[in-house]
Amino acid sequence: MTFPLRESRCFLDHPMNRNSDTISSEIHLHVHDRQSPAITERLRTACVGIAGCGGLGTVVAEVLARAGIGKLIIVDHDVIEPSNLNRQRYTISQIGMPKVKALAENLTAACPCTNIVPVREFITAENCARIFQPCSIVAECFDSAERKAALVAGLRSALPSCIVVATSGLAGIGPGELIRTVRVSDRFYVVGDMQSDMEQSEGLFASRVGIAASMQAHVIIRIIAGVQQ
Amino acid sequence: MKIRLNGQERILPNQRQTVGELLTFLGVRPERVAVEVNGEIVSPEHFNSFMVYDGDRVEIVSFVGGG
């Protein structure tokens, strides 16, 4: 078993730990002691794309990395601003950094066995197929309704075998229970309450955005585990 | 014609119409939706040429902002 280590920021760098591949594998086994080995093995060989590294993307990426996803392609063009920190999993010291760089650092620190591929690019309907070509599943984690729609159309047209898990309706402080997962077709899921627009609500809160992000990550884990219908 | 729209039967006045006409009829903004007809995605550039016929299964997902 090999787990490609990107630049290591933990004790794996210590000179005593020379055989980092072996150590990495051992860490992997213990990190996932509390989840089914069969599912862990399926997750280890999966590649998932994260389109947008904001309130949704930072949570989906972290949940999947902790569960032991083999490879994550994280994509965003933007830098971290103070107003992101109410819900996006960055730190004060990371303000001004490109989101993909900061997220790659945070994920690598917590989950060195996941191969993180940061891509700092503005995703469009035209370039999404090139960026996400290696992925079997892509999580749409954008803010803008127009960009969500364009990405879904672009991915579904250009990468027909790729499963898209999108979101719609997670703004405001409405009940968390209204957020649900809808299977639109074989390879297209939408998570959200389908209504709560950020422009006509109380804004964006970590609690409700986080519910949607966790449900997005959960349906992805279920698909990879082979239990999602 | 009769189509299945988001899982529900729906009667429409015309015998056939484009996706774009259907979106106008339903009052939804075309730049904020993803449309599938019989399980196939319809790209926005084809909204005004792709025809919907009697018996088609149409899924229209309307996106709202936030993330």
Side-chain angles (χ1 to χ4, degrees):
Chain A
M1 279 202 289
T2 58
F3 295 94
L5 276 174
R6 297 183 60 76
E7 57 170 352
S8 179
R9 304 184 155 266
C10 55
F11 73 92
L12 297 174
D13 265 347
H14 194 278
M16 277 178 67
N17 300 326
R18 291 204 183 89
N19 189 348
S20 60
D21 272 359
T22 309
I23 291 162
S24 170
S25 302
E26 284 169 9
I27 288 175
H28 184 273
L29 290 174
H30 290 294
V31 168
H32 301 104
D33 274 357
R34 303 295 298 271
Q35 61 188 55
S36 145
I39 294 173
T40 299
E41 183 54 25
R42 280 174 168 249
L43 291 165
R44 191 181 69 78
T45 56
C47 175
V48 173
I50 308 290
C53 301
L56 293 165
T58 52
V59 176
V60 175
E62 186 191 324
V63 170
L64 293 178
R66 287 187 187 278
I69 284 279
K71 185 173 178 177
L72 281 179
I73 299 181
I74 58 171
V75 192
D76 201 300
H77 68 286
D78 221 349
V79 296
I80 299 160
E81 295 173 24
S83 67
N84 297 153
L85 296 189
N86 81 320
R87 64 193 191 287
Q88 306 184 17
R89 307 294 168 99
Y90 298 111
T91 64
I92 296 279
S93 67
Q94 291 176 323
I95 289 170
M97 274 175 78
K99 288 183 175 182
V100 290
K101 184 167 187 284
L103 182 57
E105 272 185 17
N106 298 347
L107 295 174
T108 304
C111 316
C113 299
T114 294
N115 181 9
I116 310 293
V117 180
V119 179
R120 191 176 178 198
E121 214 168 318
F122 187 88
I123 304 168
T124 64
E126 289 70 40
N127 68 15
C128 63
R130 169 177 55 77
I131 294 169
F132 293 115
Q133 195 273 329
C135 303
S136 55
I137 306 174
V138 172
E140 174 280 303
C141 300
F142 288 154
D143 214 18
S144 134
E146 287 80 7
R147 289 193 71 205
K148 287 170 185 287
L151 179 68
V152 168
L155 283 173
R156 299 276 297 119
S157 310
L159 296 176
S161 66
C162 180
I163 297 170
V164 181
V165 181
T167 52
S168 184
L170 41 89
I173 53 165
E177 292 82 355
L178 295 182
I179 294 176
R180 60 194 193 277
T181 302
V182 175
R183 180 173 177 260
V184 179
S185 59
D186 281 357
R187 296 178 184 278
F188 179 24
Y189 295 81
V190 183
V191 174
D193 67 16
M194 316 296 155
Q195 289 180 20
S196 306
D197 194 330
M198 63 178 167
E199 287 155 21
Q200 292 149 24
S201 68
E202 301 86 353
L204 296 168
F205 290 83
S207 49
R208 203 155 193 264
V209 176
I211 290 169
S214 291
M215 286 179 70
Q216 240 183 325
H218 192 61
V219 76
I220 290 170
I221 290 171
R222 283 174 53 80
I223 292 165
I224 294 168
V227 297
Q228 178 71 39
Q229 290 305 305
Chain B
M1 67 172 164
K2 196 157 69 179
I3 63 169
R4 201 152 186 89
L5 177 63
N6 294 351
Q8 309 263 317
E9 230 171 54
R10 180 105 189 206
I11 312 273
L12 298 169
N14 299 328
Q15 277 318 294
R16 59 185 192 132
Q17 58 188 157
T18 66
V19 167
E21 287 164 348
L22 178 60
L23 295 177
T24 306
F25 177 77
L26 297 170
V28 293
R29 291 163 61 176
E31 68 278 11
R32 287 185 160 216
V33 295
V35 180
E36 293 199 350
V37 177
N38 300 324
E40 298 287 320
I41 194 86
V42 181
S43 289
E45 64 265 31
H46 298 137
F47 280 177
N48 293 325
S49 55
F50 195 101
M51 300 301 295
V52 177
Y53 297 98
D54 186 62
D56 280 351
R57 280 181 297 115
V58 181
E59 297 289 336
I60 298 175
V61 177
S62 288
F63 288 101
V64 294

